[in-house]
Amino acid sequence: MQLRRSLIILFVITAGVVTCKQKENTTEETPAAIKTNVTVVKPVKQSLTDFLELNGNTVFQKKVVVRANIAGYIINIPWKVGDRISSGSVFCNIKTKEQDALKNIDQREPSLKQFQQPIKIVTSAAGFITAVNYINGDFVNEGDVLATITIPSSLVLSVNVPYEYHAYVYNGRSCQVVLPDGKKINTAITLSVPVIDPASQTQQYFIQLPASEKLPENMNLLVRIPMKQKTNVLCLPLTAIQTNETQDEFWVMKLANDSMAVRVPITVGSQNDSLKEVESGISINDKIIVKGGYGLADSALVNIEK
């Protein structure tokens, strides 16, 4: 009897302890949900232009060579690569083998002095010297190329265009040239070569560059040629649109309410430097996350920053 009473008292005490712990657990505060700070924008209506983008190379069309007009030894050549030279300047002097032999003859014969003067080689063009093929003391034959002079004003941009785009690329067509530093030059196609490359099936076009642009030869530049224009299309900033690694799926994070973002698949079209066309998936009044949306899960909680 005494044992039964002790067991009942122990059971009551145990039940009371359990009940107290349950009450303590129910009074603990639930942790607050974590929200990501984001910035939102609304789509805008904008006109966009589709561009054909091609790579081009700078080329100097006019290069003049300086040739030896007689065989002999080069003397007095002060020029080097990179020097600017004027038309009519003396590039070097050439002493013939006969003149070299006459120096050993008795100088008391005055009639031979007139044959001692070296032959002057004079340039016929002005520009920059881009190649010097000989130095003082070298022997050259008649007709050998001594140097190459490049005429700066002949700088053009050469572009090879696939023939399938001939409806958009033609003489006089306006275009935009983008330099490696991001600078943009608005110009036009100047000349086309009526020959198709048999291997690549491309046609060569030349674009005249402004004289103020002092660009070197063989520089790679981007050429943007307008193809078609779309007006009043729905657009979003490029930073608001997300895609996968293969860029065959696109989506945005749209606000379902003031504190939740949902993932919405979209289809895209044309784009410019800052905006991309959205063909379907959203409307003009939707609020789209433009900053802070990368990596957000579907139905994530967010906090809108102003």
Side-chain angles (χ1 to χ4, degrees), residues 47-62:
S47 296
L48 293 179
T49 302
D50 279 337
F51 287 93
L52 172 64
E53 295 188 346
L54 301 166
N55 291 321
N57 296 91
T58 53
V59 177
F60 288 105
Q61 287 184 301
K62 296 181 180 180

Side-chain angles (χ1 to χ4, degrees), residues 22-305:
Q22 289 179 347
K23 289 182 179 180
E24 289 178 2
N25 292 337
T26 56
T27 58
E28 291 181 0
E29 294 183 359
T30 303
I34 299 176
K35 294 184 178 182
T36 303
N37 293 330
V38 297
T39 305
V40 299
V41 295
K42 286 187 176 181
V44 295
K45 291 293 185 71
Q46 183 95 3
S47 296
L48 293 179
T49 302
D50 279 337
F51 287 93
L52 172 64
E53 295 188 346
L54 301 166
N55 291 321
N57 296 91
T58 53
V59 177
F60 288 105
Q61 287 184 301
K62 296 181 180 180
K63 295 182 178 181
V64 178
V65 296
V66 180
R67 295 183 181 273
N69 55 12
I70 194 171
Y73 298 96
I74 292 180
I75 59 174
N76 300 331
I77 177 171
W79 305 99
K80 62 183 181 298
V81 173
D83 288 345
R84 191 179 188 96
I85 193 169
S86 302
S87 178
S89 300
V90 177
F91 179 75
C92 68
N93 294 312
I94 295 180
K95 179 187 291 186
T96 65
K97 292 186 292 184
E98 291 77 11
Q99 289 174 329
D100 194 55
L102 287 175
K103 69 180 181 180
N104 297 321
I105 298 178
D106 191 352
Q107 297 298 321
R108 289 176 297 178
E109 179 58 49
S111 61
L112 297 178
K113 291 184 179 180
Q114 59 181 320
F115 301 107
Q116 293 292 323
Q117 296 298 323
I119 307 299
K120 295 181 179 180
I121 305 299
V122 180
T123 61
S124 60
F128 291 97
I129 298 177
T130 53
V132 177
N133 301 325
Y134 296 93
I135 61 175
N136 285 327
D138 285 349
F139 180 83
V140 294
N141 292 305
E142 183 178 356
D144 285 352
V145 176
L146 305 179
T148 302
I149 300 174
T150 297
I151 301 177
S153 60
S154 66
L155 180 69
V156 296
L157 183 62
S158 174
V159 185
N160 293 322
V161 182
Y163 186 75
E164 60 188 283
Y165 299 113
H166 73 279
Y168 306 103
V169 185
Y170 46 84
N171 292 345
R173 178 61 164 168
S174 61
C175 62
Q176 187 181 74
V177 178
V178 183
L179 275 60
D181 61 359
K183 182 180 179 180
K184 298 175 182 178
I185 301 173
N186 294 319
T187 181
I189 297 174
T190 309
L191 180 67
S192 61
V193 180
V195 178
I196 294 291
D197 182 78
S200 62
Q201 288 298 292
T202 58
Q203 185 175 1
Q204 189 177 27
Y205 289 82
F206 293 109
I207 299 172
Q208 188 72 42
L209 296 173
S212 58
E213 297 297 333
K214 307 298 183 182
L215 300 178
E217 193 173 24
N218 298 323
M219 176 182 283
N220 292 326
L221 302 178
L222 178 65
V223 180
R224 305 178 74 217
I225 302 172
M227 296 177 63
K228 57 183 179 180
Q229 188 176 39
K230 298 180 180 180
T231 59
N232 202 33
V233 294
L234 198 67
C235 300
L236 277 174
L238 297 178
T239 53
I241 299 175
Q242 302 185 45
T243 184
N244 57 1
E245 293 182 355
T246 56
Q247 296 188 358
D248 55 3
E249 295 181 5
F250 297 87
W251 66 89
V252 295
M253 300 303 294
K254 183 178 75 172
L255 287 185
N257 51 49
D258 290 339
S259 61
M260 180 179 292
V262 294
R263 173 171 166 162
V264 178
I266 60 171
T267 55
V268 297
S270 305
Q271 77 172 59
N272 59 19
D273 294 338
S274 59
L275 297 175
K276 182 183 282 289
E277 175 191 3
V278 180
E279 297 176 342
S280 64
I282 60 173
S283 64
I284 189 69
N285 293 319
D286 288 337
K287 293 182 179 179
I288 308 299
I289 296 177
V290 70
K291 181 180 179 181
Y294 181 78
L296 274 183
D298 191 15
S299 301
L301 297 178
V302 296
N303 178 51
I304 301 175
E305 291 184 334

